[in-house]
Amino acid sequence: VLLTSGEQIDGIFAANWANFYSYAASGAFTDLTDLIPTYAPNTKTQLTDQMWSEGSVDGKIYAIGTNYKEYTPGGFIYREDWRKELGCAPITSIETAEAYFRAVKEQKGITPLNGTANGIILRMNVWYGGDFYHIAGEESLIVKVKGYDTPRNVVSMVHDESYMAMAKRAAQWAKEGFWPADAINSQTGTDVTLKAGTGAAHQCNPAGARGIIQEQTIQGNPAEFEYFCYTELTGVAVANISSNNCFAVPKSAKYPERTVAAVDYIRSDRDAYNIIFYGIEGKHYSVTAEGKLQVPAEGQDPTVVKGWDYANWNFRNPEMFINPVVDWDKWESLNEHFETQYKDNIHWPFYLNKDPIATELAAMAQVTAEYDNQIIYGMGADPEKMVNDYRAALEKAGLQKVIDEVSRQLFAYYDSVGIK
C-alpha cells in the first residue's frame, strides 16, 4: 500500500517472498547500482557478487541484501522432557511425530497441537514429505518443483499423492483430538500453549526455536525442548538467498543516497549496530568480560525487561554478531548439520511475472481459500472426495495454464544460468 500510495518513504524492508522482484521490475524501487560504491563502501565488500546479483533485476541493483548465511527450513519445537517421560522414540519422521502427539493426547490429556497448527500439518506432510521446492520464493503458490534433482518437474502440489495422504492423516488426527475443534478459527498460537505447558509442539524455523529456548531459559522455565527439522525428510537444506531479507529504497525517496549511507552505517558501526540489534546497553543487554551478550543486562529483572526485539533481519552482518551467554546448546551443531545437507538454492532468485496468469491465479486463490484449510484440519466426512473436488476446482480455474506459464519462465531462467 505504501509503495503504491506515492507517499515519500526513505527505505523499506523487502524480500523475495514479499514480491521484491515484481516490485523492482515495475519501477517501485530506486536503482542503487551507482550509489553503492560511494555511499556503502563497507557493504559493497561485505556482500559477494552473487549476493548483489540476488538483489538485482535486469542487471541493476535494487536492494541491499544480508550477507548472513541462514537456513530457515520448516520444523517444530517440542517438549523433549515429555517425549522421554512418555517413552516415545526420538522424533525423526512423520510417524514418530505422530506417535509423540498421540502419547501426549492419550497419556497426558493435553491437546498436542493446541492452536493454529496448520503449519505443522501441511509443511511436514506435503512441503517436505512430498519433497517440494517453492518457485521464486512463492510459498503460497501451489505450483512447485517436485524433487531437488528434477528442477524441471513443475507440478501441482495438491495433485501429488503426498497431499492426499496428508488429507487422510489429518482427518484421523482430527478425530483423535490432536488440535482443538475450532483450530481453523483459532487466534491462539501454538508457541503460547507450548510455553504454558498446555501444548506439545510449535511450528517454527530453527531461529524461532532458538529464540523460544533462550527466552524460556532466561525466564526460568525448567522444561526441556528439542527441535525436529523437516530437512530430515528430504536430506536437502538450502540456505536463504540474500534477498530473502533485504532493504530497498522506494522511488519516492527524496534522498536515496542518504538511505544507502545509513544502511552502511548501521551494518558497519559498532555503536549503531548494537543499538539497532541489542537495544540500550545497561538495560536490554550488557557484554560480559568474556565478550558474551547478556540479555537482559546484568542486574535487570528478566520478568520485567525482556530484551530488545526488533525485526532487523535485513541489516544483519555476521562480522558484528555478539554471541549470547544464554543460548540453545544445539544451535551450532544444527547449522553444521545443515552444511552436510547443503544444496544451492536454485529455484528462488528470479522474477516470476504473474501478469499473464493473473486471472487464473486469482481464481485459484478463491478455490484454495474454500478447500485448503478445511482439508488441512481434517474437516469433512470424506477427505478423499474433498481433495478430488479441490483438484477439479483448481483445474477449472486454470491450473494447467499456470503450470505452463510458470514452467516457461522458470525454464528460461534455468537456461540462462546453465541449470539442466
Side-chain angles (χ1 to χ4, degrees):
V1 175
L2 288 173
L3 288 173
T4 57
S5 69
E7 180 180 344
Q8 183 177 314
I9 309 169
D10 294 318
I12 192 168
F13 174 84
N16 65 301
W17 47 267
N19 301 316
F20 160 69
Y21 292 113
S22 59
Y23 283 127
S26 68
F29 300 133
T30 299
D31 177 6
L32 307 179
T33 309
D34 295 333
L35 298 179
I36 298 296
T38 301
Y39 296 99
N42 297 302
T43 303
K44 184 178 186 300
T45 60
Q46 291 162 356
L47 271 66
T48 65
D49 290 344
Q50 177 62 31
M51 291 171 179
W52 285 117
S53 72
E54 291 165 355
S56 302
V57 172
D58 294 331
K60 296 179 180 180
I61 298 172
Y62 288 100
I64 300 173
T66 175
N67 58 324
Y68 173 46
K69 185 178 183 181
E70 182 181 29
Y71 293 93
T72 57
F76 64 82
I77 182 174
Y78 61 93
R79 289 289 298 268
E80 173 69 355
D81 49 348
W82 288 0
R83 182 195 69 77
K84 294 175 180 176
E85 171 194 333
L86 297 168
C88 296
I91 298 178
T92 58
S93 64
I94 296 172
E95 291 73 22
T96 49
E98 178 181 60
Y100 165 70
F101 297 153
R102 183 170 292 115
V104 169
K105 180 65 178 179
E106 293 180 352
Q107 298 182 45
K108 296 187 75 69
I110 292 173
T111 301
L113 305 179
N114 194 6
T116 51
N118 55 341
I120 288 179
I121 305 164
L122 178 65
R123 296 179 188 219
M124 178 171 65
N125 287 281
V126 182
W127 285 11
Y128 290 85
D131 197 20
F132 285 104
Y133 298 86
H134 308 307
I135 297 169
E138 297 278 352
E139 292 191 357
S140 62
L141 187 65
I142 66 167
V143 175
K144 302 184 186 298
V145 168
K146 182 174 175 62
Y148 183 89
D149 295 326
T150 53
R152 296 178 187 252
N153 186 21
V154 178
V155 300
S156 162
M157 171 187 75
V158 175
H159 287 65
D160 189 71
E161 61 183 12
S162 64
Y163 193 90
M164 181 66 81
M166 176 210 67
K168 294 177 179 179
R169 183 176 287 120
Q172 179 60 36
W173 288 3
K175 288 180 183 177
E176 295 186 51
F178 280 18
W179 46 79
D182 64 347
I184 195 170
N185 298 313
S186 177
Q187 300 299 311
T188 302
T190 48
D191 58 327
V192 174
T193 56
L194 175 73
K195 296 173 188 177
T198 56
H202 167 61
Q203 160 74 37
C204 59
N205 62 33
R210 182 190 192 191
I212 289 174
I213 291 170
Q214 288 173 325
E215 174 197 63
Q216 294 302 292
T217 301
I218 291 170
Q219 293 182 10
N221 186 343
E224 181 183 359
F225 298 98
E226 188 53 272
Y227 184 73
F228 172 57
C229 187
Y230 302 149
T231 62
E232 297 308 297
L233 303 177
T234 63
V236 174
V238 294
N240 291 336
I241 59 177
S242 63
S243 61
N244 192 68
N245 293 296
C246 57
F247 199 77
V249 181
K251 212 57 179 285
S252 62
K254 189 173 182 180
Y255 302 107
E257 71 280 0
R258 295 185 182 181
T259 301
V260 172
V263 172
D264 193 61
Y265 178 63
I266 291 170
R267 285 177 45 86
S268 306
D269 181 85
R270 171 51 68 189
D271 291 338
Y273 193 90
N274 283 3
I275 199 165
I276 289 291
F277 278 82
Y278 306 127
I280 300 172
E281 187 170 9
K283 179 182 179 181
H284 299 113
Y285 79 97
S286 56
V287 180
T288 68
E290 294 77 26
K292 297 280 189 177
L293 187 74
Q294 176 72 51
V295 179
E298 185 71 31
Q300 294 285 351
D301 183 349
T303 64
V304 177
V305 179
K306 303 294 185 183
W308 179 245
D309 186 16
Y310 169 64
N312 43 31
W313 313 303
N314 48 297
F315 298 136
R316 284 180 298 186
N317 180 357
E319 297 175 12
M320 304 292 280
F321 288 179
I322 304 175
N323 291 326
V325 171
V326 176
D327 204 357
W328 180 19
D329 61 0
K330 296 183 180 178
W331 174 250
E332 289 189 7
S333 62
L334 179 60
N335 280 278
E336 289 170 358
H337 180 57
F338 289 148
E339 288 293 313
T340 69
Q341 298 178 320
Y342 174 78
K343 291 193 177 182
D344 290 335
N345 198 334
I346 62 174
H347 313 97
W348 282 25
F350 90 105
Y351 161 56
L352 177 62
N353 181 6
K354 300 177 185 176
D355 290 345
I357 47 176
T359 300
E360 290 76 18
L361 288 174
M364 286 167 56
Q366 290 184 334
V367 173
T368 296
E370 179 181 353
Y371 285 96
D372 202 46
N373 259 350
Q374 291 193 56
I375 292 170
I376 289 170
Y377 281 114
M379 302 171 69
D382 188 343
E384 185 170 354
K385 182 179 184 303
M386 286 188 72
V387 171
N388 286 330
D389 289 347
Y390 183 19
R391 291 171 173 174
L394 287 171
E395 291 162 10
K396 186 177 180 180
L399 172 63
Q400 190 57 52
K401 182 179 177 181
V402 172
I403 292 175
D404 292 344
E405 180 60 26
V406 170
S407 298
R408 184 188 69 79
Q409 293 187 40
L410 181 62
F411 297 171
Y413 163 71
Y414 285 163
D415 292 342
S416 72
V417 295
I419 296 174
K420 302 298 184 183

